[in-house]
Amino acid sequence: MAIIGPVRLSRITVFAIYIVALGLTSLYGMLVLFDLDVTALKSSKPATGTNTCAYICKEARGDSVQIRLLERSTEPIAYVVGSSHGAKVVLPGQCVCVRAVVPAHSFDTETINQADMEEYEPVPGWPADSLIVDLVMQSSQNNAGTHDPLYIDARVTVSVDMRAVARNQNYNTRVYEGSAQLFDPGEYALDARIEFRNGQWNAEPGQFTPELHETHMRTTLVTNALVQSTVHVERDLKHPTYLQRHQNLPLCTDGAASGRWIPEKNLPASWKQWQYMHPAEDRRVWVPYHCRLRRISHAEFVFHMSRSWPSVHWYGDSNSRRTLRPIVQAGQWCHTNNSMRLDCLCNNAPKDLFPSEWYARMPVPHWYRIHTQGVRRDEIYADLRLKEQPPTDPRPILDKDPIDNHTTYGHDYVPPGYRLRDDYFDLYYLFTRGTLDMQDRHWMRDITQEAIAPYPNANLVVFQMITWDVAFGSYSMFARSVELQARRLRNVYPHAQFVYRTGPYWCCRNAEDQQKKYSRLRFASFDAHARAVFRRVLRAHIWDVSGPSSQRPPEAKRNPENMPCLSVHSRSELVHLDNQIFINMLVNK
């Protein structure tokens, strides 16, 4: 018989429910206290999506006794939370928490330097100590004891962003935490280093620029079995991120998709060259986790741009100029493997390296029209007019995508070299130095209705900044100016779509000029603020050129051949990758 209305419970029943709830709560509290993996009790399903790891360190904060013991240590320590007497075991897509305990920095009066005598303040919300922490795959051995050929010597690296944790600083010790989501099967170990202490990574204008001296952190303690540094990710052949299943993923339309580097020799033999990106100088290939990049020909790119965004206004500095070089040469700039020519390594090859006649003889694709303002024409190969040229694409993509059979290029698509095409897009390159007023360039004068009046209305606006602001600006002034700059762009381009190109990844070296305040966290903090503002004010799409570089193995990040002139310019191999991410983002939509 059904009873309609509120259910009446006896006092005994209510008391029993209370006792059961109290017991469950106490059990959960004990698990947290002893730093056990409570996620295993909640769900065995792998985490998916973005920001899925935010919870993991909060659930692991019950080991206050453990932290108090480590606070007494005289040397910095980093470890994987929850590991006990061996590697922590997780499923693909699950998260781990990494903790670092950094004791107070003591100065040796005999070796004290100028930086130690100055006071530095970190950017608000960012840590005082700059820690570079990576989880690096050491072995591809699976549960059966055999090695997975897809991941042999892969050295898959997952960077961990460390944030300060507010705790009782009884021993004047700083505690940091960060989380990482792991997908690829194998055993990972921590690589943890200190770059700068006490805010010295954020040298502002007028302050002495400290030199980088990396210090390795301990990741194990013989006297404490709970301090471990390894994580084992089990193999799941059916998980969508497993490398063998990669070609089943949708095409990338996100310019900031996370991924990893895989040796080209490990890729499945069934993959065609156009189904993955050009390898870097170490023959590793960038492979996103949740979508796939295809190697799009410049002919297809221009065809798409001529239909969707025929007028592009591009604001940037020498990094953008470097980005545009392979574009105006249809990918034929420094396209051979391991080219050691100086402009391929890091220099933009102005007139001091090559005479003007070299530029005049250089073949250019006939379907680009590039215009510039404020730079020498020989730096960007400006004012290119329609010219008939031999084909420059080694293999234009003419077939439909074998996975996405709906992709088509239109009945009037003509590959290069068959006949002159009447499709093109105008790209107006407008030099800027971020938010700074330097060398006759300033956005308040350059980004106005009057300044762009001579050009066709922009359908797409690409904005690249950060480099000059990090080098010569103060963060507080930068933060205020970015907001004003974004609002100005919105008023000047009310109907355009925006793409924000992130700042470069800077790591593990000093700038060639002590006047430039380059550091990894300074680039990261400036960029994080700018991309948040551009998203909020302009609803900008993010083109992330720093993410792939941050996930390179530790030895690749510190390879001198990757930074021969100590500038912020990337090697040509990475420039080609950055461009393909941008092209995929636009064409695959």
Side-chain angles (χ1 to χ4, degrees):
M1 179 177 177
I3 300 176
I4 308 299
V7 178
R8 295 180 177 274
L9 300 177
S10 68
R11 294 183 178 179
I12 296 177
T13 303
V14 172
F15 182 75
I17 294 174
Y18 173 78
I19 292 298
V20 172
L22 182 63
L24 290 174
T25 303
S26 300
L27 173 62
Y28 182 85
M30 291 176 64
L31 289 170
V32 172
L33 177 63
F34 289 101
D35 205 12
L36 298 179
D37 189 6
V38 297
T39 58
L41 294 180
K42 289 187 168 185
S43 172
S44 60
K45 293 177 63 178
T48 57
T50 58
N51 297 325
T52 55
C53 293
Y55 70 91
I56 195 69
C57 284
K58 294 180 181 178
E59 293 184 347
R61 287 184 182 171
D63 62 340
S64 56
V65 175
Q66 173 77 3
I67 292 178
R68 283 199 297 271
L69 291 174
L70 293 176
E71 282 179 338
R72 294 178 171 86
S73 174
T74 59
E75 55 185 329
I77 300 170
Y79 65 102
V80 177
V81 177
S83 53
S84 177
H85 304 280
K88 181 181 177 70
V89 179
V90 299
L91 298 176
Q94 287 188 327
C95 304
V96 296
C97 177
V98 176
R99 182 173 292 131
V101 181
V102 182
H105 182 48
S106 58
F107 299 107
D108 186 344
T109 55
E110 296 183 0
T111 60
I112 194 169
N113 56 42
Q114 184 174 345
D116 295 332
M117 295 185 290
E118 291 199 33
E119 290 188 8
Y120 297 86
E121 290 292 334
V123 170
W126 289 75
D129 302 313
S130 177
L131 312 182
I132 181 166
V133 178
D134 295 318
L135 280 163
V136 185
M137 183 185 289
Q138 306 295 313
S139 168
S140 61
Q141 187 170 336
N142 56 36
N143 303 340
T146 59
H147 290 273
D148 191 326
L150 296 174
Y151 297 97
I152 291 179
D153 299 325
R155 299 280 290 169
V156 170
T157 298
V158 181
S159 181
V160 184
D161 293 328
M162 306 298 286
R163 300 291 182 179
V165 178
R167 295 186 184 274
N168 183 12
Q169 307 292 337
N170 293 329
Y171 297 93
N172 196 23
T173 300
R174 298 187 179 110
V175 179
Y176 299 96
E177 289 177 349
S179 57
Q181 191 174 16
L182 302 177
F183 295 99
D184 296 308
E187 184 145 317
Y188 296 75
L190 272 181
D191 183 289
R193 315 183 193 199
I194 298 179
E195 296 180 303
F196 295 99
R197 299 294 307 269
N198 301 324
Q200 290 184 358
W201 59 266
N202 186 37
E204 292 272 276
Q207 288 188 300
F208 176 77
T209 306
E211 288 192 6
L212 171 70
H213 297 287
E214 285 190 334
T215 303
H216 282 270
M217 302 175 66
R218 293 198 63 170
T219 53
T220 57
L221 283 180
V222 177
T223 58
N224 193 329
L226 292 178
V227 177
Q228 298 291 334
S229 62
T230 55
V231 180
H232 183 81
V233 181
E234 295 185 349
R235 185 170 70 166
D236 181 356
L237 300 180
K238 296 182 179 180
H239 198 276
T241 63
Y242 185 64
L243 194 60
Q244 189 70 52
R245 300 174 59 87
H246 180 75
Q247 296 300 332
N248 296 327
L249 295 173
L251 292 172
C252 291
T253 58
D254 181 3
S258 60
R260 74 292 213 188
W261 293 90
I262 300 292
E264 186 180 24
K265 62 181 178 61
N266 291 15
L267 299 180
S270 60
W271 290 18
K272 307 295 184 183
Q273 263 199 344
W274 62 267
Q275 290 182 302
Y276 61 89
M277 294 295 96
H278 297 274
E281 83 291 337
D282 60 357
R283 308 306 301 169
R284 283 184 166 85
V285 175
W286 176 250
V287 184
Y289 286 118
H290 305 296
C291 63
R292 56 189 173 89
L293 295 165
R294 60 190 181 96
R295 200 180 300 185
I296 298 175
S297 73
H298 284 262
E300 181 189 346
F301 169 56
V302 177
F303 175 83
H304 178 82
M305 294 296 289
S306 69
R307 268 55 179 175
S308 301
W309 292 286
S311 179
V312 179
H313 291 191
W314 189 306
Y315 292 88
D317 53 33
S318 60
N319 286 278
S320 284
R321 190 167 65 233
R322 192 166 179 80
T323 294
L324 291 173
R325 291 200 163 191
I327 289 181
V328 301
Q329 292 180 255
Q332 299 302 292
W333 169 75
C334 299
H335 62 290
T336 58
N337 294 330
N338 294 316
S339 176
M340 297 300 289
R341 204 174 69 196
L342 186 55
D343 64 320
C344 299
L345 294 176
C346 70
N347 195 291
N348 269 346
K351 294 179 68 175
D352 59 336
L353 292 177
F354 293 97
S356 297
E357 293 77 19
W358 185 86
Y359 296 96
R361 293 194 306 268
M362 186 193 71
V364 295
H366 63 265
W367 55 84
Y368 288 94
R369 298 202 309 188
I370 310 296
H371 312 269
T372 68
Q373 168 134 344
V375 294
R376 296 193 305 268
R377 60 175 290 162
D378 54 21
E379 291 190 51
I380 191 61
Y381 321 132
D383 251 347
L384 304 180
R385 302 301 178 187
L386 291 177
K387 301 177 183 178
E388 187 169 5
Q389 295 288 342
T392 50
D393 283 278
R395 183 193 181 280
I397 297 176
L398 302 177
D399 301 325
K400 291 183 178 181
D401 188 314
I403 302 298
D404 180 7
N405 291 321
H406 301 290
T407 300
T408 181
Y409 309 131
H411 67 280
D412 55 349
Y413 174 75
V414 179
Y418 284 74
R419 63 174 174 80
L420 270 179
R421 294 165 32 151
D422 59 359
D423 57 289
Y424 58 85
F425 74 98
D426 286 301
L427 191 152
Y428 295 88
Y429 173 54
L430 308 168
F431 197 83
T432 183
R433 289 186 168 85
T435 68
L436 300 181
D437 186 355
M438 296 184 67
Q439 302 178 15
D440 297 324
R441 312 302 305 175
H442 190 222
W443 67 269
M444 295 191 73
R445 296 188 298 270
D446 299 336
I447 306 176
T448 64
Q449 292 284 3
E450 294 74 20
I452 67 169
Y455 315 133
N457 291 333
N459 312 106
L460 181 70
V461 176
V462 179
F463 206 91
Q464 174 258 317
M465 55 188 309
I466 298 299
T467 310
W468 286 77
D469 291 282
V470 170
F472 303 110
S474 72
Y475 179 82
S476 59
M477 182 64 71
F478 169 79
R480 290 192 295 269
S481 298
V482 167
E483 186 81 26
L484 298 175
Q485 194 176 60
R487 293 178 185 176
R488 171 70 65 84
L489 286 166
R490 184 182 60 190
N491 293 334
V492 172
Y493 297 101
H495 305 298
Q497 291 194 34
F498 289 88
V499 171
Y500 170 76
R501 183 188 186 275
T502 68
Y505 179 71
W506 179 269
C507 170
C508 320
R509 61 194 190 272
N510 296 299
E512 81 281 7
D513 182 357
Q514 282 292 302
Q515 296 301 313
K516 296 178 179 179
K517 310 300 183 182
Y518 290 158
S519 74
R520 184 181 59 88
L521 282 192
R522 198 164 151 85
F523 268 105
S525 57
F526 277 58
D527 182 72
H529 181 76
R531 74 167 74 185
V533 171
F534 271 68
R535 272 201 189 111
R536 173 171 48 82
V537 178
L538 300 170
R539 302 182 67 181
H541 300 283
I542 305 301
W543 172 17
D544 188 358
V545 301
S546 62
S549 294
S550 70
Q551 307 303 312
R552 301 195 75 181
E555 60 273 15
K557 292 176 183 176
R558 296 165 176 85
N559 184 355
E561 289 188 0
N562 294 336
M563 40 188 164
C565 65
L566 302 181
S567 74
V568 293
H569 298 153
S570 298
R571 285 183 59 126
S572 59
E573 296 91 343
L574 292 181
V575 174
H576 283 290
L577 169 63
D578 295 340
N579 284 4
Q580 280 293 329
I581 292 173
F582 174 68
I583 292 171
N584 272 259
M585 178 177 65
L586 296 179
V587 175
N588 292 338
K589 285 192 178 294

